[in-house]
Amino acid sequence: MKQTKQPITNESRERDGRTDFDFLIGSWKIHHRRLKQRLKGCTEWEEFEGTGEVRLILGGLGNMDALTMDRASGLVEAVTVRLYNPVTREWSIYWVADSSPGRLDVPMVGKFNGPRGEFFSQELFEGVHIFNRFIWTVNGPNPAAGNRHFPPTAGRRGKPTGP
């Protein structure tokens, strides 16, 4: 019996977002900026350099990157896996770093609407349940900027961890 690979499609014929993160494919030098402490009222930023290699996986239904970040505390290695669900037209973004080996973070789930992607998750941080929001903005030749927010409660505004 001969099997042929059929493309996965969504039945509604709405926009297929499986190429949303294709702008990341390749090798990158990355400038990172993050608050030194999460949810502590900290206004001091840590800036550091890094590199990344991003490639497609699963026939285009995902991508993964290997990142190296040169932080003041030492070299950090991390992996991101982004998986696209063509039925829901949403991405699930998983993160793991050598600072917490053997454990993937709770996935951030969301999608792009034009050049802006919003992704959300919930996690337990220092004994408190928090909501995370990560925004990707894709613009012109400098393709992307990310900004992650950690609102501590539903009624209070969170702090961005990047520009």
Side-chain angles (χ1 to χ4, degrees):
M1 178 176 176
K2 184 178 178 183
Q3 293 183 344
T4 58
K5 188 174 180 181
Q6 296 293 320
I8 298 172
T9 60
N10 63 59
E11 294 300 315
S12 66
R13 300 288 178 219
E14 291 183 33
R15 182 187 169 284
D16 184 348
R18 73 182 74 206
T19 61
D20 286 341
F21 283 103
D22 282 3
F23 65 89
L24 288 176
I25 304 304
S27 299
W28 297 91
K29 289 184 180 181
I30 307 163
H31 180 78
H32 298 274
R33 183 174 185 250
R34 62 177 250 155
L35 285 173
K36 287 192 173 184
Q37 295 182 344
R38 287 173 61 178
L39 301 174
K40 306 258 191 236
C42 180
T43 59
E44 193 175 348
W45 295 89
E46 174 188 16
E47 295 193 39
F48 51 96
E49 303 304 315
T51 59
E53 297 280 335
V54 185
R55 65 183 178 91
L56 290 173
I57 59 172
L58 303 174
L61 287 175
N63 62 64
M64 68 181 292
D65 57 46
L67 302 167
T68 303
M69 296 163 278
D70 190 11
R71 296 184 59 193
S73 59
L75 202 61
V76 176
E77 291 186 52
V79 172
T80 309
V81 178
R82 297 173 195 86
L83 301 174
Y84 183 70
N85 181 330
V87 176
T88 64
R89 296 178 309 281
E90 291 182 318
W91 286 91
S92 295
I93 304 172
Y94 300 85
W95 168 266
V96 64
D98 61 1
S99 56
S100 57
R103 183 183 67 81
L104 284 172
D105 278 354
V106 174
M108 299 200 81
V109 178
K111 60 185 167 183
F112 277 83
N113 183 8
R116 178 184 166 98
E118 284 192 88
F119 304 87
F120 302 90
S121 72
Q122 297 180 37
E123 69 175 279
L124 191 61
F125 177 73
E126 296 182 352
V128 177
H129 289 278
I130 64 170
F131 292 95
N132 297 312
R133 178 178 69 167
F134 192 91
I135 299 170
W136 275 101
T137 306
V138 183
N139 291 318
N142 205 0
N147 192 348
R148 189 168 180 185
H149 294 262
F150 300 98
T153 64
R156 292 171 46 196
R157 184 174 174 182
K159 294 273 189 184
T161 62

